[in-house]
């Protein structure tokens, strides 16, 4: 739930990038961090294993300007995608105002995407929230790879509620800010 500090005229929102391992969640945050002006961002904190996999979470505070006179600050998190870190994903997801579900577009990753999305639905419902009403956008990442599935197939398996979705190549940037703007608009509209 967004934190509103009336005295300081600030709104703090938590956005979580969720998805299977190696789908590009951390790459999204790294790209955002590399492109936004220094004055509007904090440090990108990341706890990774020796093989560069996210061990706990990545965190990037981001100042996105004012809404109705309140300074809005978005706190972007990722979850570790490896199967054994489900409890960490639950902890990071707690209190989220919105989720970006990052799906790996590669044909070989479809089942992992589906399983991760099902897990996300369970974890949101455990918080007493309706999954279909939760602020969420989809990002179909790695669209530049030759074995990327057509968007229509990804929609068939991953988009049962017709969420807003974006095609992206997080490593080079296309679609990364469109995704961030998409989830930010939805989160702000729910305040």
């Amino acid at each position: 739930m967004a934190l509103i500090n009336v005295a300081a005229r600030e709104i703090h929102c938590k956005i979580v990038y969720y998805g299977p391992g190696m789908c590009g969640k951390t790459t999204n945050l790294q790209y955002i961090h590399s492109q936004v002006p220094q004055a509007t961002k904090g440090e990108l904190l990341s706890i990774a294993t020796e093989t560069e996999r996210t061990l706990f979470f990545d965190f990037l505070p981001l100042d996105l300007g004012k809404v109705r006179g309140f300074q809005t600050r978005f706190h972007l998190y990722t979850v570790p995608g490896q199967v054994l870190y489900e409890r960490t994903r639950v902890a990071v997801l707690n209190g989220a105002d919105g989720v970006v579900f990052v799906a790996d577009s590669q044909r070989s990753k479809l089942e992992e995407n589906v399983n991760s999305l099902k897990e996300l639905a369970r974890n949101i419902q455990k918080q007493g929230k309706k999954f279909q009403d939760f602020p969420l956008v989809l990002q179909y990442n790695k669209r530049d790879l030759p074995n990327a599935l057509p968007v229509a197939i990804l929609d068939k398996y991953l988009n049962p509620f017709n969420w807003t979705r974006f095609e992206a190549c997080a490593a080079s940037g296309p679609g990364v800010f469109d995704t961030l703007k998409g989830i930010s608009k939805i989160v702000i509209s729910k305040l």
Side-chain angles (χ1 to χ4, degrees), residues 24-39:
K25 301 174 296 291
T26 297
T27 307
N28 267 275
L29 265 59
Q30 290 170 334
Y31 185 81
I32 292 166
H33 188 264
S34 73
Q35 299 297 310
V36 297
Q38 188 66 37

Side-chain angles (χ1 to χ4, degrees), residues 14-20 23-26 28-29 32 74-79 93 96-103 116-117 120 124 131 134-141 163-166 168 175-184 186-187:
K14 180 179 181 180
I15 308 258
V16 175
Y17 283 68
Y18 202 102
C23 65
K25 301 174 296 291
T26 297
N28 267 275
L29 265 59
I32 292 166
F74 281 80
H75 302 268
L76 309 181
Y77 292 81
T78 69
V79 296
L93 189 62
D97 298 298
V99 169
V100 173
F101 184 82
V102 181
S116 182
L117 189 62
L120 173 63
I124 286 176
F131 184 53
F134 196 81
L136 186 146
V137 298
L138 295 174
Q139 182 190 75
Y140 298 152
N141 192 25
W163 291 300
T164 302
R165 58 150 163 79
F166 300 92
V176 170
F177 280 100
D178 294 333
T179 304
L180 179 58
K181 287 176 191 169
I183 190 63
S184 299
I186 293 171
V187 167

Side-chain angles (χ1 to χ4, degrees), residues 139-182:
Q139 182 190 75
Y140 298 152
N141 192 25
K142 303 184 182 182
R143 298 303 304 158
D144 56 329
L145 297 180
N147 58 347
L149 285 168
V151 169
I153 292 177
L154 292 170
D155 277 343
K156 178 181 175 184
Y157 290 98
L158 301 173
N159 200 359
F161 300 115
N162 201 25
W163 291 300
T164 302
R165 58 150 163 79
F166 300 92
E167 297 181 50
C169 303
S172 57
V176 170
F177 280 100
D178 294 333
T179 304
L180 179 58
K181 287 176 191 169

Side-chain angles (χ1 to χ4, degrees), residues 41-61:
K41 66 183 177 186
E43 261 187 72
L44 176 60
L45 304 174
S46 186
I47 302 171
T49 65
E50 293 172 2
T51 57
E52 300 298 319
R53 303 285 303 271
T54 302
L55 180 59
F56 188 50
F57 62 84
D58 302 303
F59 170 69
L60 171 64

Side-chain angles (χ1 to χ4, degrees), residues 82-101:
Q82 301 97 307
V83 174
L84 67 146
Y85 292 117
E86 182 174 359
R87 297 180 104 186
T88 303
R89 287 190 288 281
V90 170
V92 174
L93 189 62
N94 192 25
D97 298 298
V99 169
V100 173
F101 184 82

Side-chain angles (χ1 to χ4, degrees), residues 121-138:
R122 282 193 311 271
N123 290 336
I124 286 176
Q125 289 167 347
K126 283 180 187 173
Q127 294 180 11
K129 299 171 183 168
K130 287 186 176 180
F131 184 53
Q132 62 268 30
D133 296 336
F134 196 81
L136 186 146
V137 298
L138 295 174

